[in-house]
Every structure is written in structure tokens, then in C-alpha cells.
């Protein structure tokens, strides 16, 4: 036989074998048909490969020696590691990325159109996790309110005075687009309740007190040489936080530990009348944890600092010096003797 005849004969035998498998499969219950669906498709692919490729005479003859060459080839294919599933997965990923890219382009267009219309400027997409879309100040204290979109995390986030206010989270970019981006409105984005403003102020005040407490502890540790506490410790913290806040934190510390005999009676008496946080839990959170004896010395230093008159600014000191010089010149001119006539 010619090579074409060998390959044709093999194809016909495999085709007949596939038809018999098909007839058997159609007679099975639906679940059994599904169990063999993959096998049927792969056997069809084997036949398709024979239509477009030729074996050598010896190869065709070797397969024809089997009573079921198609089944034999399928078993071999089933054992062989192939990239078929990798290719399938690659198609899945590619399609998902195409859809996601289209959604991202849509989201960017909606945001940019909003920014262009409301602010006459384009949106900044350099950081997709934080695309700023609104800013204003709220309340009598002009607290900054910032609104941004997280296109990677699918959410709208708002910050009041640099602290998280609220978040509207969605499960997908498409859901974010449909529920937020397609109807962006500046007034809705920056609407804030008065209670949120007060809560933000209280939160900021609390955090500032905690940071002041930590600064006091650090200053005491830094400026205590083992025998004395340098007064620079008090000056440093007062310059950073102001005497009022430092005394507020220290008053709460003494009120929290009024039983401790290591605090002087003078400072204890002062603390009883000084302003401190009314909440016990808050006083505990920013109660200075340094050695009580050193805290007592530090408090005395701060009280002295607070009693000092405020230092004039450089501009004020220059003005005072100029006024003093002008006054001195004026006095000298008035008291200067008149020279006798010649």
C-alpha cells in the first residue's frame, strides 16, 4: 500500500471506532455521558489530527495491529503531561484581564470627567489605590475633609483631619462603577454629620495627648543623667506641645496616681485643681509611666516654664530695639548743650 492508503485505512478504522463509542455513549444515562465528555472530545481531536497529518507506513501499520487504535492513543494522551490546561487557563486569564482593563478605563473616564467638570483639572491616576476626587473643610474649625477612590480595592474612602472617617466597600470594580462612579456628586461626597466632626476633634485631641505623654517619657529618659533631670527636658516638650497640653497630661497623671507619696504635696495640690480629662480610661491611656520622682521634678520644671512671660518673636524684639534706639536719640538731642556764639 501507498503511504496515503496506510493513513486512510488507519483513519477509517479509528473513525469507525469513534462511531461505536458515540453510539454506546448516547445509550448511557446523562451523568455517565458527562463523565465521558472529556474523553469524547479528546478522541475527536485525535481524529482531527489524522486529517491534517500523516504517519509513516510503519507507524500506521503498528497502530493498525491494535483492535482499538483510537482507544490506545487516547490512553497514551491521558498519561502524557500536556500544556492543554495551561492554555485553557491562559485564555481565562486573558479574557478576565481584557474585561478588567475595559472596566478600569471606564472608571478612569468617569472620574476624570467629574474632576474636569467640577475642578477644571484632570484626575491624577499615578496611584490607583488613592485617586483624590474631593476636598473641602468642614465645621467652624475648618477641619480638612479628603475623599478618594481606591480602584484596586474597590472602595470610596473619606478622611477627616487626616484620620479615616468612613469607607464604602464594594465586591468588584463593576459594582463600584455602578454604585458610585456613574453618579459622582461633590455635595454628597463631602456631606458630614456634626457628630462626625466632634468625634474627629475628640479623636485628634486624644491622639495629641498620647503623643505628648510619649514625648514626656522620652525627654525624661534622654535628659536624666542618673542624678539630675536637666530643665531642657521640660523646655523641649513645652516648645513642641505647648505648656497647656503638657500640664493637662501631667495633671491627669497625678490624679491617676494621687496615692503615690513620691509626688510632692505642692504638685498634688496643684493637680487637684488643674484641668484634666474627665474620663478615667483616657487619663490611664496618657498617664506618664516614667519614675514618679522624675515626673514630679519634670512637672515642677514645666510649671516654672508656664509661669514665664511669653518670649517676644524676632520681629517684636527688633521693633523694641528700634523703638529704644529712637527714644535714646530723642533724649540725647533734647539734652545737648547749645554752643556759645562767637
Amino acid at each position: 500500500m501507498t503511504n496515503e492508503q496506510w493513513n486512510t485505512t488507519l483513519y477509517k478504522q479509528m473513525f469507525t471506532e469513534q462511531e461505536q463509542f458515540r453510539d454506546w455513549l448516547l445509550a448511557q444515562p446523562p451523568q455517565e455521558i458527562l463523565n465521558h465528555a472529556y474523553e469524547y472530545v479528546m478522541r475527536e481531536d485525535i481524529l482531527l489530527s489524522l486529517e491534517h497529518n500523516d504517519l509513516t507506513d510503519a507507524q500506521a501499520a503498528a497502530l493498525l495491529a491494535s483492535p482499538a487504535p483510537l482507544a490506545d492513543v487516547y490512553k497514551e494522551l491521558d498519561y502524557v503531561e500536556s500544556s492543554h490546561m495551561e492554555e485553557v487557563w491562559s485564555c481565562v486569564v486573558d479574557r478576565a484581564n481584557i474585561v478588567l482593563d475595559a472596566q478600569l478605563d471606564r472608571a478612569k473616564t468617569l472620574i476624570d470627567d467629574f474632576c474636569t467638570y467640577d475642578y477644571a483639572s484632570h484626575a491624577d491616576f499615578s496611584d490607583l489605590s488613592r485617586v483624590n476626587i474631593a476636598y473641602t473643610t468642614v465645621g467652624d474649625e475648618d477641619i480638612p475633609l479628603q475623599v478618594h477612590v481606591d480602584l484596586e480595592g474597590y472602595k470610596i474612602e473619606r478622611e477627616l483631619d487626616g484620620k479615616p472617617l468612613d469607607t464604602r466597600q464594594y465586591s468588584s470594580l463593576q459594582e463600584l462603577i455602578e454604585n458610585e462612579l456613574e453618579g459622582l456628586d461633590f455635595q454628597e461626597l463631602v456631606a458630614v454629620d456634626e457628630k462626625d466632626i466632634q468625634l474627629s476633634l475628640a479623636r485628634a485631641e486624644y491622639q495629641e495627648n498620647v503623643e505628648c505623654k510619649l514625648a514626656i517619657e522620652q525627654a525624661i529618659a534622654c535628659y536624666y543623667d542618673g542624678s539630675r533631670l536637666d530643665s531642657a527636658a521640660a523646655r523641649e516638650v513645652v516648645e513642641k506641645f505647648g505648656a497647656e497640653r503638657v500640664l493637662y497630661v501631667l495633671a491627669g497623671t497625678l490624679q491617676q496616681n494621687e496615692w503615690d507619696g513620691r509626688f510632692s504635696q505642692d504638685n498634688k495640690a496643684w493637680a487637684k485643681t488643674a484641668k484634666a480629662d474627665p474620663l478615667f480610661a483616657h487619663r490611664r491611656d496618657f498617664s506618664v509611666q516614667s519614675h514618679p520622682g522624675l515626673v514630679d521634678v519634670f512637672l515642677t520644671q514645666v510649671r516654672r516654664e508656664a509661669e514665664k512671660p511669653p518670649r517676644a518673636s524676632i520681629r517684636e524684639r527688633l521693633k523694641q530695639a528700634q523703638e529704644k534706639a529712637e527714644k535714646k536719640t530723642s533724649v540725647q538731642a533734647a539734652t545737648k548743650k547749645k554752643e556759645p556764639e562767637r
Side-chain angles (χ1 to χ4, degrees):
M1 289 192 295
T2 64
N3 181 261
E4 182 180 352
Q5 290 173 328
W6 277 111
N7 280 279
T8 301
T9 302
L10 176 62
Y11 178 82
K12 288 181 178 179
Q13 183 167 331
M14 286 188 171
F15 181 82
T16 301
E17 187 180 344
Q18 179 69 346
E19 287 295 298
Q20 293 171 350
F21 178 73
R22 180 176 181 276
D23 292 340
W24 171 83
L25 194 58
L26 290 175
Q28 304 306 307
Q31 185 59 49
E32 189 66 20
I33 294 175
L34 289 176
N35 292 340
H36 291 275
Y38 174 78
E39 179 181 356
Y40 180 82
V41 171
M42 296 310 295
R43 289 163 68 112
E44 286 288 315
D45 285 347
I46 293 170
L47 284 174
L48 185 62
S49 69
L50 284 175
E51 291 182 11
H52 296 89
N53 301 280
D54 290 325
L55 297 170
T56 64
D57 294 357
Q59 289 171 329
L63 290 178
L64 283 168
S66 169
L70 181 57
D72 291 344
V73 173
Y74 170 72
K75 289 178 181 178
E76 184 69 23
L77 178 63
D78 200 34
Y79 285 123
V80 173
E81 292 278 347
S82 72
S83 61
H84 175 69
M85 291 308 297
E86 293 178 3
E87 293 173 355
V88 171
W89 180 246
S90 178
C91 289
V92 172
V93 172
D94 289 346
R95 179 55 189 168
N97 287 336
I98 290 173
V99 175
L100 189 57
D101 288 344
Q103 291 177 348
L104 185 58
D105 288 342
R106 171 65 174 160
K108 287 182 176 180
T109 298
L110 290 170
I111 293 172
D112 198 55
D113 288 348
F114 168 75
C115 291
T116 302
Y117 180 80
D118 277 58
Y119 316 126
S121 63
H122 293 287
D124 180 6
F125 296 106
S126 58
D127 182 0
L128 294 180
S129 67
R130 189 181 179 87
V131 181
N132 295 321
I133 57 172
Y135 174 85
T136 189
T137 56
V138 296
D140 296 334
E141 298 82 3
D142 287 335
I143 304 172
L145 172 65
Q146 180 75 55
V147 186
H148 64 266
V149 182
D150 183 349
L151 292 175
E152 295 177 340
Y154 319 135
K155 55 190 174 183
I156 297 281
E157 295 180 310
R158 301 199 303 171
E159 295 176 354
L160 192 60
D161 199 21
K163 306 294 190 302
L165 174 61
D166 54 37
T167 299
R168 296 197 288 273
Q169 178 70 62
Y170 297 95
S171 60
S172 67
L173 183 56
Q174 184 60 32
E175 192 175 315
L176 174 66
I177 291 172
E178 293 174 353
N179 289 277
E180 296 285 353
L181 304 186
E182 287 183 342
L184 288 173
D185 180 89
F186 179 81
Q187 295 302 327
E188 291 181 1
L189 289 172
V190 300
V192 180
D193 292 336
E194 180 62 27
K195 65 178 182 179
D196 291 326
I197 297 175
Q198 296 305 318
L199 180 61
S200 176
L201 291 172
R203 188 187 298 119
E205 184 75 10
Y206 171 83
Q207 186 60 38
E208 190 77 5
N209 289 334
V210 172
E211 292 176 4
C212 180
K213 169 248 189 187
L214 295 174
I216 292 172
E217 293 173 348
Q218 185 177 2
I220 290 175
C222 180
Y223 288 100
Y224 179 60
D225 63 5
S227 60
R228 63 181 294 274
L229 180 64
D230 195 314
S231 59
R235 288 197 300 273
E236 181 179 284
V237 181
V238 168
E239 286 179 2
K240 182 175 181 180
F241 292 94
E244 183 179 356
R245 183 174 303 280
V246 178
L247 290 172
Y248 183 82
V249 171
L250 291 169
T253 299
L254 265 68
Q255 291 177 13
Q256 185 85 0
N257 302 279
E258 58 182 353
W259 52 268
D260 197 323
R262 288 170 290 186
F263 293 111
S264 68
Q265 291 301 318
D266 180 53
N267 281 335
K268 281 186 176 181
W270 167 84
K272 287 182 180 180
T273 60
K275 181 182 177 182
D277 198 298
L279 295 178
F280 176 84
H282 284 186
R283 292 204 306 268
R284 181 188 59 202
D285 290 344
F286 47 77
S287 177
V288 179
Q289 298 301 306
S290 302
H291 189 281
L294 294 176
V295 175
D296 188 67
V297 174
F298 183 87
L299 171 55
T300 300
Q301 294 175 349
V302 174
R303 290 176 64 189
R304 289 172 182 167
E305 285 291 322
E307 291 171 358
K308 292 180 181 179
R311 188 181 180 186
S313 66
I314 295 177
R315 178 177 294 180
E316 289 173 341
R317 294 202 299 271
L318 289 174
K319 184 178 180 181
Q320 291 171 2
Q322 184 178 359
E323 290 175 350
K324 186 176 180 180
E326 290 176 352
K327 184 177 181 181
K328 183 178 180 181
T329 302
S330 176
V331 171
Q332 289 176 345
T335 60
K336 186 177 180 181
K337 292 182 179 180
K338 186 178 180 181
E339 293 184 5
E341 295 182 359
R342 299 193 178 194

Short mmCIF file of all heavy atoms in Angstrom, two decimals, residues 259-290:
data_model
loop_
_atom_site.label_atom_id
_atom_site.label_comp_id
_atom_site.label_asym_id
_atom_site.label_seq_id
_atom_site.Cartn_x
_atom_site.Cartn_y
_atom_site.Cartn_z
N TRP A 259 -2.38 58.61 95.16
CA TRP A 259 -1.96 57.84 96.34
C TRP A 259 -0.44 57.75 96.48
O TRP A 259 0.09 57.42 97.54
CB TRP A 259 -2.51 56.42 96.25
CG TRP A 259 -2.17 55.79 94.91
CD1 TRP A 259 -2.94 55.80 93.79
CD2 TRP A 259 -0.97 55.11 94.55
NE1 TRP A 259 -2.32 55.16 92.74
CE2 TRP A 259 -1.08 54.72 93.20
CE3 TRP A 259 0.19 54.78 95.24
CZ2 TRP A 259 -0.09 54.03 92.53
CZ3 TRP A 259 1.19 54.08 94.57
CH2 TRP A 259 1.04 53.71 93.22
N ASP A 260 0.30 58.05 95.37
CA ASP A 260 1.74 57.84 95.35
C ASP A 260 2.46 58.96 96.12
O ASP A 260 2.37 60.15 95.76
CB ASP A 260 2.23 57.81 93.88
CG ASP A 260 3.62 57.19 93.75
OD1 ASP A 260 4.45 57.43 94.64
OD2 ASP A 260 3.85 56.48 92.76
N GLY A 261 3.17 58.58 97.20
CA GLY A 261 3.87 59.56 98.02
C GLY A 261 5.11 60.14 97.40
O GLY A 261 5.74 61.05 97.99
N ARG A 262 5.49 59.67 96.24
CA ARG A 262 6.69 60.20 95.58
C ARG A 262 6.43 61.51 94.85
O ARG A 262 7.36 62.16 94.38
CB ARG A 262 7.27 59.14 94.64
CG ARG A 262 7.93 57.98 95.37
CD ARG A 262 8.28 56.83 94.44
NE ARG A 262 7.08 56.13 93.96
CZ ARG A 262 7.11 55.02 93.22
NH1 ARG A 262 8.29 54.49 92.89
NH2 ARG A 262 5.99 54.44 92.84
N PHE A 263 5.17 61.87 94.74
CA PHE A 263 4.83 63.19 94.19
C PHE A 263 4.77 64.19 95.34
O PHE A 263 4.24 63.89 96.42
CB PHE A 263 3.49 63.16 93.46
CG PHE A 263 3.49 62.32 92.20
CD1 PHE A 263 2.77 61.15 92.14
CD2 PHE A 263 4.22 62.71 91.10
CE1 PHE A 263 2.77 60.37 90.99
CE2 PHE A 263 4.23 61.94 89.94
CZ PHE A 263 3.50 60.77 89.89
N SER A 264 5.28 65.40 95.12
CA SER A 264 5.30 66.41 96.17
C SER A 264 3.89 66.88 96.50
O SER A 264 2.99 66.81 95.66
CB SER A 264 6.16 67.60 95.73
OG SER A 264 5.52 68.29 94.66
N GLN A 265 3.71 67.33 97.74
CA GLN A 265 2.40 67.82 98.17
C GLN A 265 1.99 69.05 97.36
O GLN A 265 0.81 69.24 97.06
CB GLN A 265 2.45 68.17 99.66
CG GLN A 265 2.59 66.95 100.57
CD GLN A 265 1.44 65.96 100.39
OE1 GLN A 265 0.28 66.36 100.28
NE2 GLN A 265 1.77 64.67 100.38
N ASP A 266 2.98 69.86 96.98
CA ASP A 266 2.67 71.06 96.20
C ASP A 266 2.09 70.69 94.84
O ASP A 266 1.08 71.26 94.40
CB ASP A 266 3.94 71.90 96.03
CG ASP A 266 3.67 73.16 95.22
OD1 ASP A 266 2.75 73.92 95.58
OD2 ASP A 266 4.36 73.37 94.19
N ASN A 267 2.72 69.75 94.20
CA ASN A 267 2.24 69.33 92.88
C ASN A 267 0.91 68.58 92.99
O ASN A 267 0.04 68.69 92.11
CB ASN A 267 3.28 68.45 92.18
CG ASN A 267 4.40 69.26 91.56
OD1 ASN A 267 4.22 70.44 91.24
ND2 ASN A 267 5.57 68.66 91.40
N LYS A 268 0.72 67.81 94.05
CA LYS A 268 -0.55 67.12 94.24
C LYS A 268 -1.68 68.13 94.44
O LYS A 268 -2.78 67.98 93.88
CB LYS A 268 -0.47 66.20 95.46
CG LYS A 268 0.23 64.88 95.21
CD LYS A 268 0.12 63.99 96.44
CE LYS A 268 0.73 62.63 96.19
NZ LYS A 268 0.61 61.73 97.36
N ALA A 269 -1.40 69.18 95.24
CA ALA A 269 -2.41 70.22 95.47
C ALA A 269 -2.75 70.92 94.17
O ALA A 269 -3.92 71.24 93.89
CB ALA A 269 -1.89 71.21 96.51
N TRP A 270 -1.73 71.18 93.36
CA TRP A 270 -1.97 71.83 92.06
C TRP A 270 -2.82 70.94 91.17
O TRP A 270 -3.75 71.40 90.51
CB TRP A 270 -0.62 72.12 91.39
CG TRP A 270 -0.77 72.48 89.95
CD1 TRP A 270 -1.06 73.70 89.43
CD2 TRP A 270 -0.69 71.58 88.83
NE1 TRP A 270 -1.15 73.63 88.06
CE2 TRP A 270 -0.92 72.34 87.66
CE3 TRP A 270 -0.43 70.22 88.71
CZ2 TRP A 270 -0.92 71.77 86.40
CZ3 TRP A 270 -0.42 69.64 87.45
CH2 TRP A 270 -0.66 70.43 86.30
N ALA A 271 -2.50 69.62 91.14
CA ALA A 271 -3.21 68.69 90.26
C ALA A 271 -4.68 68.58 90.60
O ALA A 271 -5.52 68.37 89.72
CB ALA A 271 -2.55 67.32 90.33
N LYS A 272 -5.03 68.74 91.89
CA LYS A 272 -6.44 68.62 92.29
C LYS A 272 -7.30 69.70 91.66
O LYS A 272 -8.49 69.49 91.43
CB LYS A 272 -6.55 68.68 93.81
CG LYS A 272 -6.06 67.41 94.51
CD LYS A 272 -6.23 67.53 96.02
CE LYS A 272 -5.75 66.26 96.72
NZ LYS A 272 -5.91 66.34 98.19
N THR A 273 -6.72 70.85 91.42
CA THR A 273 -7.49 71.97 90.85
C THR A 273 -7.24 72.16 89.36
O THR A 273 -7.89 72.97 88.71
CB THR A 273 -7.14 73.27 91.58
OG1 THR A 273 -5.74 73.54 91.44
CG2 THR A 273 -7.49 73.16 93.06
N ALA A 274 -6.25 71.43 88.82
CA ALA A 274 -5.89 71.59 87.40
C ALA A 274 -6.88 70.85 86.50
O ALA A 274 -7.52 69.87 86.91
CB ALA A 274 -4.48 71.07 87.16
N LYS A 275 -6.99 71.32 85.28
CA LYS A 275 -7.87 70.69 84.30
C LYS A 275 -7.25 69.39 83.79
O LYS A 275 -6.08 69.35 83.44
CB LYS A 275 -8.11 71.64 83.13
CG LYS A 275 -9.04 71.09 82.06
CD LYS A 275 -9.18 72.07 80.91
CE LYS A 275 -10.05 71.50 79.80
NZ LYS A 275 -10.17 72.43 78.65
N ALA A 276 -8.06 68.32 83.77
CA ALA A 276 -7.60 67.03 83.26
C ALA A 276 -8.76 66.33 82.59
O ALA A 276 -9.93 66.72 82.73
CB ALA A 276 -7.03 66.17 84.39
N ASP A 277 -8.46 65.29 81.81
CA ASP A 277 -9.50 64.57 81.10
C ASP A 277 -10.46 63.93 82.10
O ASP A 277 -10.04 63.23 83.02
CB ASP A 277 -8.88 63.47 80.21
CG ASP A 277 -9.86 63.00 79.15
OD1 ASP A 277 -10.92 62.47 79.52
OD2 ASP A 277 -9.55 63.16 77.96
N PRO A 278 -11.77 64.14 81.92
CA PRO A 278 -12.74 63.59 82.88
C PRO A 278 -12.89 62.08 82.81
O PRO A 278 -13.37 61.46 83.75
CB PRO A 278 -14.04 64.30 82.50
CG PRO A 278 -13.87 64.64 81.05
CD PRO A 278 -12.41 64.95 80.88
N LEU A 279 -12.50 61.48 81.68
CA LEU A 279 -12.65 60.03 81.52
C LEU A 279 -11.45 59.31 82.12
O LEU A 279 -10.30 59.55 81.76
CB LEU A 279 -12.79 59.66 80.04
CG LEU A 279 -14.06 60.18 79.34
CD1 LEU A 279 -14.05 59.78 77.88
CD2 LEU A 279 -15.31 59.65 80.04
N PHE A 280 -11.74 58.39 83.03
CA PHE A 280 -10.68 57.63 83.70
C PHE A 280 -9.84 56.86 82.68
O PHE A 280 -8.61 56.82 82.77
CB PHE A 280 -11.31 56.66 84.71
CG PHE A 280 -10.32 55.76 85.38
CD1 PHE A 280 -9.62 56.18 86.50
CD2 PHE A 280 -10.07 54.48 84.88
CE1 PHE A 280 -8.70 55.35 87.12
CE2 PHE A 280 -9.16 53.65 85.49
CZ PHE A 280 -8.47 54.08 86.62
N ALA A 281 -10.51 56.23 81.70
CA ALA A 281 -9.79 55.43 80.70
C ALA A 281 -8.81 56.27 79.90
O ALA A 281 -7.71 55.84 79.58
CB ALA A 281 -10.79 54.74 79.77
N HIS A 282 -9.22 57.50 79.57
CA HIS A 282 -8.34 58.39 78.82
C HIS A 282 -7.13 58.80 79.66
O HIS A 282 -6.00 58.81 79.17
CB HIS A 282 -9.10 59.64 78.36
CG HIS A 282 -10.00 59.37 77.20
ND1 HIS A 282 -10.70 60.36 76.54
CD2 HIS A 282 -10.31 58.21 76.57
CE1 HIS A 282 -11.40 59.83 75.56
NE2 HIS A 282 -11.20 58.53 75.56
N ARG A 283 -7.38 59.14 80.93
CA ARG A 283 -6.25 59.52 81.80
C ARG A 283 -5.26 58.36 81.92
O ARG A 283 -4.05 58.57 81.96
CB ARG A 283 -6.78 59.92 83.19
CG ARG A 283 -7.58 61.19 83.21
CD ARG A 283 -7.58 61.84 84.59
NE ARG A 283 -8.00 60.92 85.63
CZ ARG A 283 -9.26 60.79 86.05
NH1 ARG A 283 -10.21 61.52 85.47
NH2 ARG A 283 -9.56 59.97 87.02
N ARG A 284 -5.80 57.18 81.95
CA ARG A 284 -4.93 56.00 82.04
C ARG A 284 -4.09 55.85 80.77
O ARG A 284 -2.91 55.51 80.83
CB ARG A 284 -5.78 54.75 82.25
CG ARG A 284 -4.99 53.44 82.38
CD ARG A 284 -5.94 52.26 82.39
NE ARG A 284 -6.74 52.24 81.16
CZ ARG A 284 -7.91 51.62 81.04
NH1 ARG A 284 -8.45 51.02 82.09
NH2 ARG A 284 -8.57 51.64 79.89
N ASP A 285 -4.71 56.11 79.61
CA ASP A 285 -4.00 55.92 78.34
C ASP A 285 -2.84 56.89 78.17
O ASP A 285 -1.85 56.55 77.54
CB ASP A 285 -4.98 56.07 77.16
CG ASP A 285 -5.96 54.91 77.09
OD1 ASP A 285 -5.69 53.88 77.74
OD2 ASP A 285 -6.97 55.04 76.39
N PHE A 286 -2.98 58.13 78.69
CA PHE A 286 -1.85 59.06 78.54
C PHE A 286 -1.26 59.46 79.89
O PHE A 286 -0.79 60.57 80.08
CB PHE A 286 -2.19 60.28 77.68
CG PHE A 286 -3.47 60.98 77.99
CD1 PHE A 286 -3.58 61.83 79.09
CD2 PHE A 286 -4.58 60.81 77.18
CE1 PHE A 286 -4.75 62.49 79.36
CE2 PHE A 286 -5.76 61.47 77.45
CZ PHE A 286 -5.85 62.32 78.54
N SER A 287 -1.31 58.51 80.82
CA SER A 287 -0.64 58.71 82.10
C SER A 287 0.85 58.41 81.92
O SER A 287 1.23 57.35 81.44
CB SER A 287 -1.23 57.78 83.16
OG SER A 287 -0.55 57.91 84.39
N VAL A 288 1.71 59.35 82.29
CA VAL A 288 3.16 59.21 82.10
C VAL A 288 3.68 58.06 82.97
O VAL A 288 3.43 58.03 84.19
CB VAL A 288 3.89 60.52 82.44
CG1 VAL A 288 5.39 60.35 82.26
CG2 VAL A 288 3.35 61.65 81.58
N GLN A 289 4.43 57.14 82.36
CA GLN A 289 4.87 55.94 83.05
C GLN A 289 6.32 56.02 83.55
O GLN A 289 6.85 55.02 84.04
CB GLN A 289 4.72 54.73 82.12
CG GLN A 289 3.29 54.46 81.69
CD GLN A 289 2.37 54.20 82.87
OE1 GLN A 289 2.64 53.34 83.70
NE2 GLN A 289 1.28 54.98 82.95
N SER A 290 6.94 57.16 83.43
CA SER A 290 8.31 57.31 83.94
C SER A 290 8.29 57.25 85.47
O SER A 290 7.23 57.27 86.11
CB SER A 290 8.90 58.64 83.47
OG SER A 290 8.90 58.73 82.06
#
